[in-house]
């Protein structure tokens, strides 16, 4: 049987789309050996995807590379990866998909051993059909190597922030029908997955293009909650204005099923920079929304993205970003250095910030994020957190397991392999850096 290798870089939507392609290719008879794990980092040096790699004794016939274009560094990693794979597996055909393939299809076609480029994710079913699959999947039924599953419910973004390339490579707003999403989640939860992460390019705009008030994110979530099973729901990144009262009320109603965690991108805390970025709200409006979340929910986790070094940013602007982050009280800040993307307005803006300055800002904002995280972790001591046990091997010698809490941090506690994949209530005892320790 032909051997398959899939490598994914980038966001949760990319990971879902890789899983969709994996499911279709397996139906065609491809096998994917799962002996070692290869990890790729994103621009923030954090886990982008764990990729199961074929045994050294095997050689793939087909390599599918799912690419990212969010920064220039992301594209450079993609090119380096493709060249390395071509060198390691000269006999394999390389198929490239993803946002880098959408942005620069001809450039990608010129890379070694690339036999096909899928420039539009909507072409995935056609790609599988051309390979001989008569019944293409209408979704996924598993998520390789994980205990949680990302479910893509929405695609496309029309927000047009001045720095962002994504609306140029994913311009078409589309939302999956609720019945299709529910059927997929039923398959996933029946297979034992205990966490469902609803994701999209602009998740809060689920249903927007349909002009139907009955098709929206909250309606979708209520429908998911009607599915039987012991699983919880988490939302991926969502813009702060889209964390509505209705969404907060639903989250407060079902703390057993909906994770009290919102990833709300701030990007900057300076109103002047926010206007240059073409963001939709002021810093005070952003803080007000964060405070509304805190008032409605019990110690919710708020995580965010922030860009430093945007063209024209000053020390005063950066100080405002730090002050806004303090007021919001984030549990984690993902710090990104500005990356000019050809074709976006920000790439043509004057007054670039020198590298030595924005590197210092990134370091200082990272330290602030660590302090805010420590402050938040201390508030969780004595609280019982619903934890999905994911790692029973790393600390097996000490009879310790680790998992992800509902508030999106790693929790370690005593336990055995029989807990893997289960949701466990863990009382938090103490914090150790990025880790919480507790007892079940």
């Amino acid at each position: 049987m032909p051997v398959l290798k899939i490598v994914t870089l980038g966001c949760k939507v990319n990971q879902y789309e890789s899983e969709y392609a994996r499911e279709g290719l397996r139906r065609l008879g491809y096998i994917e050996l799962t002996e070692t794990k290869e990890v790729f980092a994103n621009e923030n040096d954090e886990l982008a995807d764990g990729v199961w790699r074929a045994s050294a004794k095997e050689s793939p016939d087909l390599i599918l590379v799912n690419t990212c274009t969010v920064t220039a560094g992301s594209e450079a990693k993609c090119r380096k990866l493709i060249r390395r794979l071509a060198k390691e597996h000269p006999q394999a055909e390389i198929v490239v998909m993803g946002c880098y393939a959408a942005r620069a299809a001809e450039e990608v076609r010129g890379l070694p051993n690339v036999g096909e480029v899928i420039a539009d994710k909507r072409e995935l079913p056609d790609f599988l059909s051309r390979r001989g699959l008569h019944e293409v999947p209408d979704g996924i039924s598993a998520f390789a190597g994980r205990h949680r599953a990302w479910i893509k419910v929405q695609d496309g973004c029309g927000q047009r922030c001045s720095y962002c390339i994504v609306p140029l490579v994913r311009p078409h707003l589309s939302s999956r029908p609720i019945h299709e999403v529910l059927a997929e989640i039923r398959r996933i939860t029946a297979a034992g997955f205990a966490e469902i992460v609803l994701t999209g390019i602009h998740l809060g705009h689920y249903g927007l293009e349909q002009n139907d008030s009955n098709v929206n994110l909250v309606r979708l979530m209520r429908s998911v909650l009607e599915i039987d099973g012991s699983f919880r729901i988490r939302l991926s990144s969502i813009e702060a204005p889209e964390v509505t009262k209705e969404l907060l009320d639903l989250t407060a109603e079902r703390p057993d099923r909906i994770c009290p965690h919102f990833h709300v991108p701030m990007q900057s805390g300076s109103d002047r920079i926010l206007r240059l970025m073409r963001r939709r709200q002021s810093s005070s409006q952003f803080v007000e929304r964060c405070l509304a979340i805190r008032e409605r929910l019990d110690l919710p986790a708020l995580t965010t993205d922030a860009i430093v070094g945007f063209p024209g940013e000053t020390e005063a602007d950066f100080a405002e970003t730090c002050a806004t982050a303090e007021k919001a009280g984030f549990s984690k800040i993902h710090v990104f250095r500005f990356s000019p993307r050809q074709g976006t307005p920000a790439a043509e803006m004057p007054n670039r910030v020198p590298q030595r300055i924005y590197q210092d800002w990134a370091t200082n904002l990272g330290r602030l994020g660590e302090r805010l995280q420590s402050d938040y972790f201390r508030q969780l001591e004595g609280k019982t957190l619903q934890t999905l046990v994911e790692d029973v091997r790393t600390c097996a010698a000490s009879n310790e397991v680790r998992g992800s809490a509902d508030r999106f941090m790693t929790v370690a506690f005593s336990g055995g392999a029989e807990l893997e994949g289960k949701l466990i209530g863990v009382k938090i005892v103490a914090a150790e850096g990025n880790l919480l320790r507790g007892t079940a």
Side-chain angles (χ1 to χ4, degrees):
M1 292 189 291
V3 176
L4 169 68
K5 178 180 178 65
I6 297 180
V7 184
T8 305
L9 295 94
C11 65
K12 293 178 175 64
V13 171
N14 261 17
Q15 294 175 41
Y16 172 89
E17 289 165 344
S18 287
E19 192 61 40
Y20 177 87
R22 174 181 284 114
E23 185 137 337
L25 290 168
R26 282 178 173 171
R27 292 186 186 184
L28 282 169
Y30 283 87
I31 59 169
E32 190 179 11
L33 302 182
T34 58
E35 295 192 3
T36 61
K37 201 175 189 182
E38 185 171 351
V39 175
F40 294 89
N42 62 21
E43 284 301 296
N44 206 35
D45 292 327
E46 295 177 334
L47 183 64
D49 192 18
V51 184
W52 294 102
R53 188 177 187 183
S55 165
K57 295 180 182 180
E58 300 291 336
S59 187
D61 301 288
L62 175 64
I63 303 174
L64 183 65
V65 181
N66 199 347
T67 60
C68 178
T69 191
V70 70
T71 67
S74 301
E75 291 190 356
K77 287 180 181 179
C78 293
R79 290 190 294 271
K80 183 178 180 180
L81 170 65
I82 292 168
R83 291 189 180 103
R84 177 172 67 80
L85 291 170
K87 184 176 180 180
E88 290 178 354
H89 308 289
Q91 79 298 328
E93 178 192 6
I94 298 177
V95 174
V96 183
M97 59 188 282
C99 291
Y100 176 37
R103 193 197 70 77
E106 290 306 313
E107 180 179 306
V108 172
R109 286 189 181 94
L111 294 171
N113 286 23
V114 173
E116 185 170 355
V117 175
I118 305 172
D120 187 333
K121 294 292 183 68
R122 295 175 298 176
E123 297 174 1
L124 269 175
D126 291 338
F127 162 75
L128 295 172
S129 295
R130 291 195 302 272
R131 297 274 161 160
L133 188 62
H134 299 299
E135 295 185 11
V136 298
D138 60 358
I140 64 173
S141 55
F143 221 98
R146 299 185 183 277
H147 295 291
R148 64 179 67 179
W150 287 274
I151 302 298
K152 173 185 166 183
V153 302
Q154 185 275 341
D155 203 342
C157 180
Q159 190 162 311
R160 301 281 177 173
C161 296
S162 66
Y163 54 84
C164 187
I165 194 71
V166 173
L168 299 180
V169 295
R170 290 183 183 263
H172 307 288
L173 286 179
S174 63
S175 304
R176 297 176 65 194
I178 288 180
H179 70 85
E180 184 178 297
V181 175
L182 297 181
E184 185 171 57
I185 292 176
R186 289 189 185 97
R187 291 194 299 269
I188 288 287
T189 55
F193 288 82
E195 180 174 307
I196 300 299
V197 184
L198 301 180
T199 190
I201 297 300
H202 195 141
L203 181 62
H205 279 180
Y206 175 82
L208 183 67
E209 79 284 357
Q210 299 184 26
N211 295 316
D212 183 345
S213 60
N214 291 318
V215 183
N216 56 55
L217 182 60
V218 173
R219 169 69 186 279
L220 172 64
M221 293 173 65
R222 289 192 181 279
S223 298
V224 173
L225 289 172
E226 294 174 1
I227 297 175
D228 291 334
S230 300
F231 68 94
R232 68 189 185 191
I233 304 169
R234 188 187 302 278
L235 299 181
S236 65
S237 179
I238 184 169
E239 294 291 334
E242 291 147 17
V243 184
T244 61
K245 180 181 183 300
E246 187 181 16
L247 176 55
L248 288 176
D249 287 345
L250 179 61
T251 305
E253 289 169 16
R254 300 303 305 270
D256 58 322
R257 300 291 302 279
I258 303 176
C259 295
H261 164 228
F262 291 97
H263 184 83
V264 283
M266 175 182 65
Q267 308 305 8
S268 175
S270 161
D271 287 341
R272 189 178 71 87
I273 297 300
L274 287 169
R275 286 191 293 272
L276 290 173
M277 289 179 166
R278 298 183 183 173
R279 298 288 289 167
R280 291 186 297 162
Q281 60 180 353
S282 67
S283 60
S284 61
Q285 290 171 326
F286 181 86
V287 171
E288 286 173 6
R289 180 57 54 186
C290 291
L291 294 179
I293 296 171
R294 294 192 178 285
E295 290 171 3
R296 187 68 181 90
L297 304 178
D298 178 23
L299 289 176
L302 294 177
T303 58
T304 198
D305 300 327
I307 298 172
V308 296
F310 192 83
E313 186 174 5
T314 65
E315 289 283 357
D317 294 317
F318 176 68
E320 290 177 9
T321 291
C322 294
T324 300
E326 288 260 20
K327 294 173 186 175
F330 296 118
S331 61
K332 188 173 182 62
I333 302 175
H334 301 263
V335 182
F336 293 87
R337 298 161 181 83
F338 172 72
S339 176
R341 307 302 293 120
Q342 182 180 0
T344 65
E348 307 301 325
M349 290 181 180
N351 303 318
R352 291 281 179 86
V353 179
Q355 183 178 4
R356 61 179 177 79
I357 293 178
Y358 68 67
Q359 285 181 336
D360 285 344
W361 290 348
T363 299
N364 292 337
L365 188 56
R367 288 172 179 163
L368 172 60
E370 290 172 359
R371 177 168 64 79
L372 293 176
Q373 182 185 74
S374 296
D375 293 344
Y376 179 66
F377 278 11
R378 280 194 294 272
Q379 296 178 63
L380 296 176
E381 291 180 5
K383 188 171 184 61
T384 298
L385 304 184
Q386 186 191 69
T387 301
L388 172 61
V389 180
E390 297 177 278
D391 185 355
V392 300
R393 290 172 288 274
T394 301
C395 306
S398 59
N399 196 38
E400 182 180 85
V401 297
R402 295 188 178 189
S404 295
D406 48 9
R407 288 160 174 80
F408 203 60
M409 65 283 296
T410 301
V411 176
F413 63 100
S414 296
E418 72 281 358
L419 298 179
E420 185 170 8
K422 291 182 169 54
L423 294 172
I424 305 294
V426 180
K427 185 176 182 179
I428 303 305
V429 176
E432 294 181 4
N434 293 324
L435 178 73
L436 291 174
R437 293 198 176 275
T439 58

